[in-house]
Amino acid sequence: MKDKRKHFFVSGAVLIHGFNENQSQPFTGEIWSGIYQSIKEYFDNVDILGWVYTKPGIPEMPIPNLQRIHDNNFSGNDKLLFLYDSLDDYEDFYMYQNGQLTKQQGYYIYYE
């Protein structure tokens, strides 16, 4: 039986300076330049798999503003959104399925 699940291995993260979710275009060209510069400095031969959004008290389901940001900057079926609520210590991964961001099951986070 062939395993049809997709496996993603995230090996690093870059802190985004100047991001403001309430701006009409929060991922500006300047922010993307900083992201690519950090990737070049700290990581070798990697692809951007998605993004992390963390905030105290965020809802479990992605709010429309976050979905718009994801659509505009991380489009595609294989792009991840990781939500982390630092107030309630809640976390989940989301990916597009059937045209909407859907909570994913079966993930593990390992810290080195």
Side-chain angles (χ1 to χ4, degrees), residues 20-28 65 68-69 72-73:
N20 181 342
E21 70 192 75
N22 295 318
Q23 291 177 330
S24 61
Q25 180 58 31
F27 280 86
T28 63
N65 194 34
R68 179 186 56 78
I69 293 168
N72 290 339
N73 296 278

Side-chain angles (χ1 to χ4, degrees), residues 11 39-40 43-47:
S11 61
I39 289 171
K40 184 177 179 181
F43 303 103
D44 187 34
N45 257 351
V46 297
D47 294 321

Side-chain angles (χ1 to χ4, degrees), residues 24-91:
S24 61
Q25 180 58 31
F27 280 86
T28 63
E30 183 178 327
I31 287 176
W32 276 112
S33 292
I35 291 169
Y36 288 122
Q37 182 177 0
S38 293
I39 289 171
K40 184 177 179 181
E41 183 176 345
Y42 297 109
F43 303 103
D44 187 34
N45 257 351
V46 297
D47 294 321
I48 296 175
L49 294 178
W51 64 306
V52 175
Y53 181 78
T54 181
K55 185 176 180 178
I58 58 175
E60 289 188 21
M61 293 301 290
I63 54 178
N65 194 34
L66 294 181
Q67 184 154 347
R68 179 186 56 78
I69 293 168
H70 188 84
D71 291 347
N72 290 339
N73 296 278
F74 304 96
S75 62
N77 289 329
D78 293 338
K79 297 297 183 188
L80 305 171
L81 168 58
F82 180 68
L83 291 183
Y84 177 68
D85 181 339
S86 57
L87 180 66
D88 295 325
D89 198 31
Y90 159 83
E91 62 187 27

